[in-house]
Amino acid sequence: MAIVYAVVARGTVVLAEFSAVSGNAGAVARRILEKLPPDAESRLCFAQDRYIFHVLRSPPPTAADGLTFLCMANDTFGSTNSLILTSITLLIYMIYG
């Protein structure tokens, strides 16, 4: 019932990463980042076993500046991840510009 993995990336380059579990969450997240098309929707979800990967892509001022926020949560965590990812996005931009 919690976020167990999170990553902030620019393209496929991981800028920050958090993991509360051991396993292949990082590898799965990187595969998702690699397969995201540049014109993909700004909010996406992917299911893997009993986890859901939530993706939020910030609109870039220029094509190279867009950030991707991805978290992995238990499938029981629900749709509140959308609000959490939005909050994380705003916090990152307030701190780092």
Side-chain angles (χ1 to χ4, degrees):
M1 293 183 59
I3 293 175
V4 294
Y5 177 82
V7 67
V8 178
R10 176 169 285 130
T12 58
V13 177
V14 173
L15 304 174
E17 184 174 30
F18 164 80
S19 183
V21 295
S22 61
N24 68 341
V28 173
R30 282 172 176 75
R31 264 188 266 132
I32 290 172
L33 291 172
E34 290 170 1
K35 293 187 181 282
L36 283 176
D39 58 346
E41 295 289 324
S42 62
R43 294 178 187 270
L44 303 165
C45 291
F46 300 93
Q48 173 76 23
D49 295 327
R50 59 181 208 273
Y51 297 103
I52 298 176
F53 287 83
H54 298 268
V55 179
L56 174 63
R57 300 178 91 179
S58 66
T62 64
D65 289 338
L67 295 177
T68 301
F69 301 86
L70 183 148
C71 75
M72 181 180 90
N74 296 343
D75 57 2
T76 58
F77 196 59
S79 62
T80 56
N81 280 317
S82 173
L83 297 174
I84 291 170
L85 285 177
T86 301
S87 298
I88 291 170
T89 302
L90 293 173
L91 183 62
I92 294 287
Y93 279 115
M94 283 184 349
I95 293 172
Y96 299 106

